[in-house]
Amino acid sequence: MARRTGFYLDKRNARLLGVCAGISDYTGFDVLWVRVFLVAGTLFGAGFLVLLYLVVGFLAPRKPEELYAGEIDPEDRLFWQKARAAPARTIREVRSSFRDIDRRLRDLEAGVTSSNSRLAREIDELRRN
C-alpha cells in the first residue's frame, strides 16, 4: 500500500518529469513557486539544480494511482503535508485534539447523567408538551 507521507513524482500535474509537482504536493508550496525557484536558481548560477532535477526525475517513484483516486479534501491534504514536514508536532496536535474531545465528552456525560433536578423537571415538561 502506498504511503501518503512519501515523496512521489506527480505525473498528472507534471510539465516535464513531475519533480516540481511532486515537491509541491509533498511540501504544500504552490507548484508555480517551486517552478519559479527552480528556473531562477538555474539562471542565477545553481546549474546543479538541473542535474538534481534529472536525477530525482529518473529515480523517484511515480505517485501511485490509489493516491489520485478520489482526490482527498483540502483539510486532509493539509494534515498530510504537516505530517510529512513535522511528524512529532502532528502527533502532538492529534493527541491534543483527542484530549479536548475526551474532555468535552466527559463534560457532556456529566451533565446528562447528573442528578440535576432542574434539568429533570425541564425534560419532564418537554415530554408533557
Side-chain angles (χ1 to χ4, degrees):
M1 182 174 164
R3 296 179 356 198
R4 290 201 182 275
T5 56
F7 173 77
Y8 300 108
L9 299 175
D10 188 353
K11 294 293 189 176
R12 286 196 182 168
N13 300 310
R15 291 290 179 251
L16 294 174
L17 298 175
V19 176
C20 291
I23 291 171
S24 172
D25 185 45
Y26 186 78
T27 62
F29 292 118
D30 188 80
V31 69
L32 173 70
W33 292 113
V34 175
R35 290 178 179 140
V36 166
F37 175 77
L38 177 72
V39 171
T42 302
L43 292 176
F44 291 114
F48 72 91
L49 288 177
V50 174
L51 179 63
L52 183 64
Y53 180 91
L54 293 172
V55 168
V56 171
F58 288 110
L59 294 180
R62 288 178 154 217
K63 188 173 184 179
E65 285 299 317
E66 63 259 23
L67 294 183
Y68 286 116
E71 287 287 334
I72 60 177
D73 63 85
E75 187 176 326
D76 283 348
R77 183 181 312 267
L78 181 63
F79 171 80
W80 286 110
Q81 286 168 348
K82 285 182 179 180
R84 288 188 289 258
R89 185 178 64 208
T90 304
I91 291 170
R92 282 193 303 272
E93 289 174 2
V94 169
R95 285 183 181 155
S96 175
S97 295
F98 278 125
R99 279 194 299 271
D100 186 47
I101 291 169
D102 190 45
R103 182 191 51 78
R104 289 183 196 178
L105 283 173
R106 274 186 302 200
D107 292 347
L108 181 65
E109 187 177 64
V112 169
T113 60
S114 69
S115 59
N116 186 342
S117 59
R118 189 179 112 226
L119 179 62
R121 276 195 314 272
E122 288 177 13
I123 292 173
D124 286 340
E125 286 177 23
L126 287 173
R127 285 183 182 159
R128 285 185 223 149
N129 292 332

